[in-house]
Amino acid sequence: MCSCFNTSKDVVISGNTVIAEVGDVEITVDKLLNEVQFLLIKFRVSNKNNLSDNEKMLLKIKALNLIIRNRLLLMEANLNSVSITQEEYDKAFRQIESGYKEDSFWEYMKVRNILPHLWKHRFENNLLINKFINTKFKLKTLGDEKEAKKYYESHKEQFKKSRMLHAIHIMVSTEDETKVVFKAIKSKNKTFSQLARIYSSASEASGGDNLGYFEVDQMPEEFASITKLKKNQISEAIKTPYGYHIFKIIDIKAPKQLSFVESRDAIFEIISRDEQSNVFKKWLIDLKNNSHIIINENVLSKVRL
């Protein structure tokens, strides 16, 4: 059962004010604001004050819906005795942490005002939810060849590799360090890779910061300017929350249309995941309709971001 509670009475809002109930679990304003903070990162909103009132309201609704959804799924995971082992948690965390130098991941979280214990709790819950979904709604291991070919013919654009760049990269912490790096590059006494081993603080530095090939369409917005570089060109210093980045393009591959054979495994997974998603969405709707959910719209509307 899902219902909304609204009242014309004045409500004094605090962090402990209950904004919704899912079963016997209360969702407070603090929990909502924590979820909003994660959404601001996801949507790359650097200043929430630039959002309109309508955008802020949509953000609050999105955050509350996610909390309710996740709470229901965590309850179902518990009922089905699904849990995350320490080994599973550590393995998943190492995959994330591997892209950062030493404590730079937590430094990035600090810049984004995300407390470590909140991030860890949310990360563990997401792992548990994903494990529950994949356990209850298993992916098909085999696909239908005819169905896959039909999908390929209808979605050929989806199986094109865009232009690919092969880059090496130097990351430093300050603007003054970039000046030192550019001076060393200009001197031509050492190669770019050698300079990366000397100056770069990135995790790839021991390998000369060789980033390998990547598709230009998959580049983060911050690095969009390097897609315009030609072979052997070096970028300007690009500032991000991690530091200052300097790239050198060492090779460029033209766009390529993948054949059906090259795309087949990916198509099987796409079709299987679509089927999983459709079954899961129908199941989730039923779960929500049969759950005790109460939302206090008066509190929701008055929460300030």
Side-chain angles (χ1 to χ4, degrees):
M1 179 183 69
C2 182
S3 60
C4 296
F5 175 72
N6 208 342
T7 177
S8 58
K9 293 182 180 180
D10 289 335
V11 178
V12 178
I13 306 294
S14 72
N16 293 323
T17 302
V18 176
I19 202 168
E21 296 176 18
V22 182
D24 59 356
V25 176
E26 294 181 339
I27 298 171
T28 64
V29 169
D30 276 345
K31 289 181 181 177
L32 177 75
L33 294 178
N34 287 337
E35 188 64 34
V36 165
Q37 193 63 32
F38 283 105
L39 288 179
L40 290 172
I41 295 174
K42 179 180 178 180
F43 297 137
R44 297 179 180 272
V45 178
S46 57
N47 187 352
K48 63 187 177 185
N49 294 324
N50 292 333
L51 298 174
S52 66
D53 289 342
N54 187 50
E55 287 172 329
K56 288 179 180 179
M57 189 63 196
L58 290 173
L59 195 63
K60 289 188 291 183
I61 292 171
K62 174 77 170 175
L64 184 58
N65 284 336
L66 280 172
I67 294 171
I68 291 171
R69 169 194 180 274
N70 290 346
R71 176 46 52 190
L72 289 172
L73 293 176
L74 288 170
M75 292 164 63
E76 287 297 306
N78 183 56
L79 287 172
N80 286 269
S81 300
V82 178
S83 61
I84 293 293
T85 66
Q86 188 63 47
E87 183 180 0
E88 288 172 325
Y89 178 92
D90 292 342
K91 181 180 178 181
F93 180 70
R94 282 196 299 270
Q95 289 178 335
I96 291 178
E97 196 179 34
S98 64
Y100 297 81
K101 179 72 173 180
E102 296 176 352
D103 293 329
S104 63
F105 174 75
W106 297 116
E107 285 299 316
Y108 177 65
M109 289 295 108
K110 185 177 179 181
V111 169
R112 293 294 189 172
N113 295 318
I114 299 294
L115 296 175
H117 75 277
L118 289 177
W119 185 91
K120 289 178 179 178
H121 179 69
R122 190 172 187 273
F123 181 62
E124 184 174 6
N125 283 344
N126 285 339
L127 288 177
L128 180 55
I129 288 169
N130 288 333
K131 184 175 180 179
F132 165 70
I133 292 172
N134 288 324
T135 300
K136 187 174 180 65
F137 308 95
K138 294 183 184 295
L139 288 172
K140 289 192 328 187
T141 55
L142 297 176
D144 184 297
E145 190 87 3
K146 289 183 179 179
E147 185 182 7
K149 285 182 178 178
K150 184 178 179 181
Y151 187 95
Y152 174 78
E153 292 300 328
S154 301
H155 300 81
K156 275 192 174 181
E157 288 294 319
Q158 192 174 335
F159 302 101
K160 272 187 177 178
K161 277 194 175 293
S162 60
R163 190 165 60 95
M164 299 185 74
L165 304 180
H166 187 177
I168 44 181
H169 163 247
I170 296 174
M171 184 176 79
V172 293
S173 301
T174 67
E175 190 173 0
D176 286 340
E177 287 177 283
T178 68
K179 294 176 182 177
V180 173
V181 172
F182 278 120
K183 185 176 180 180
I185 292 171
K186 192 174 181 180
S187 73
K188 297 183 179 180
N189 291 328
K190 296 184 182 297
T191 67
F192 194 94
S193 291
Q194 289 171 331
L195 294 176
R197 293 188 184 97
I198 296 170
Y199 295 107
S200 185
S201 60
S203 59
E204 308 91 350
S206 61
D209 269 16
N210 191 329
L211 301 177
Y213 284 94
F214 51 84
E215 295 184 53
V216 295
D217 292 346
Q218 296 177 356
M219 285 296 296
E221 288 181 21
E222 298 94 326
F223 302 139
S225 61
I226 77 167
T227 64
K228 300 175 183 177
L229 297 177
K230 297 178 181 179
K231 187 174 179 179
N232 293 323
Q233 279 192 314
I234 295 173
S235 72
E236 299 292 329
I238 301 170
K239 184 180 180 182
T240 73
Y242 310 112
Y244 292 81
H245 309 257
I246 304 167
F247 296 86
K248 180 178 180 179
I249 304 300
I250 58 176
D251 193 24
I252 299 174
K253 287 186 177 181
K256 175 189 175 185
Q257 174 67 56
L258 298 178
S259 68
F260 170 70
V261 172
E262 291 173 308
S263 311
R264 182 169 48 200
D265 289 346
I267 294 172
F268 285 157
E269 182 169 352
I270 290 169
I271 293 173
S272 185
R273 289 205 175 276
D274 284 347
E275 290 176 357
Q276 181 195 54
S277 178
N278 290 334
V279 173
F280 168 71
K281 285 176 183 177
K282 291 176 182 177
W283 174 85
L284 184 59
I285 289 171
D286 287 340
L287 178 63
K288 286 182 177 179
N289 289 338
N290 290 286
S291 297
H292 179 77
I293 302 171
I294 298 177
I295 299 172
N296 191 328
E297 291 185 338
N298 194 33
V299 173
L300 180 63
S301 64
K302 292 185 178 182
V303 173
R304 298 184 65 181
L305 300 186

